[in-house]
Amino acid sequence: MMLTRRTILCAGSASALALISAPAFAMLPVPLGNTLSFRIMRKGARIGTHTLNFAGTDDDLAVEIAVDMAVYLGPIRMFHYKHRTTERWKGGVFTSLDSKTDYDGTPAFCTVRRDGGQFAIDGSKSGKHTAPGTVLAATHWNKAELAGPMINPENGMMLHPRISDAGTDAVALASGATVAAQQFAWRGKDSLDLWYDKNADWVALKAVTASGEVLSYEKL
């Protein structure tokens, strides 16, 4: 749910004062409670979490993102993934991003800085390059990213997926409840499906890995 509620305090008579409290996030789809958390599922088992914490206001918003995954065979860890991102917005406009990733022992990074009407980007895979100031990072919480192209927050590469509206679906949450959500199919080098509810909150994700594994996000 977007935080767009206003509190109005009024006192009657000629000397009355009306105080309108502006919403903290009028322009961005920041969820109620300022946090989003998902459990990451593979073959019916939980293998990790993806958490986003929002702090500030539209004038200065920081989004802290943490993703942790590990796959075990008995006591042996077969795969691990750790991703940390800080995404910043000012006045409802995306301004910067800093990320570090440990992809099963291989490090990756991305930095993004707004420079006038464009972005200066440096990434472990992309190297240094620029992009139009209208692009967003593919961090998924803001479905406006789907207008594309997007910046890969892991490595700085530009993403140009084909996005199509797949209609409304009933999505299962981690609690077992379901919520109606709009599904978007993301196709290209990567294959994803993303769901957003009527308040534009991100509520689910399904990804097919290069090896054919299916990962599902269930909102906590």
Side-chain angles (χ1 to χ4, degrees):
M1 180 179 295
M2 293 177 66
L3 303 186
T4 57
R5 293 173 294 178
R6 295 174 183 246
T7 302
I8 302 176
L9 303 176
C10 299
S13 82
S15 60
L17 296 177
L19 175 63
I20 300 177
S21 178
F25 303 105
M27 293 176 279
L28 298 170
V30 174
L32 188 65
N34 298 344
T35 188
L36 275 175
S37 293
F38 300 87
R39 66 181 185 183
I40 304 172
M41 307 295 291
R42 170 184 174 269
K43 295 181 178 179
R46 179 173 178 164
I47 63 167
T49 57
H50 187 135
T51 300
L52 303 91
N53 289 303
F54 302 79
T57 67
D58 276 334
D59 289 332
D60 189 7
L61 171 68
V63 187
E64 299 288 347
I65 302 170
V67 187
D68 293 279
M69 288 188 286
V71 176
Y72 288 85
L73 180 61
I76 302 173
R77 188 175 71 179
M78 304 298 292
F79 171 83
H80 70 276
Y81 176 91
K82 179 178 180 179
H83 175 77
R84 298 292 184 270
T85 290
T86 299
E87 184 178 350
R88 289 196 173 275
W89 294 65
K90 291 186 182 295
V93 176
F94 173 48
T95 59
S96 71
L97 179 143
D98 293 272
S99 78
K100 290 185 178 180
T101 303
D102 175 356
Y103 193 95
D104 205 29
T106 300
F109 73 90
C110 178
T111 63
V112 180
R113 295 291 183 273
R114 182 171 290 278
D115 182 13
Q118 63 182 12
F119 285 111
I121 302 168
D122 190 10
S124 52
K125 188 173 182 179
S126 68
K128 293 183 178 180
H129 65 106
T130 60
T134 53
V135 304
L136 298 178
T139 49
H140 305 327
W141 65 270
N142 185 351
K143 74 175 184 180
E145 74 176 35
L146 301 179
M150 295 162 256
I151 304 165
N152 186 330
E154 284 187 352
N155 54 38
M157 295 291 289
M158 296 303 299
L159 302 172
H160 301 268
R162 301 184 306 277
I163 305 293
S164 61
D165 185 341
T168 302
D169 198 3
V171 176
L173 307 179
S175 65
T178 60
V179 61
Q182 187 177 15
Q183 179 182 356
F184 292 90
W186 167 315
R187 299 295 182 265
K189 183 177 180 181
D190 300 307
S191 181
L192 303 175
D193 288 276
L194 294 153
W195 286 263
Y196 299 87
D197 70 14
K198 65 180 181 180
N199 298 309
D201 285 351
W202 177 29
V203 294
L205 176 148
K206 182 175 73 175
V208 180
T209 70
S211 62
E213 297 277 6
V214 177
L215 303 181
S216 299
Y217 278 35
E218 297 178 354
K219 187 178 177 183
L220 294 165

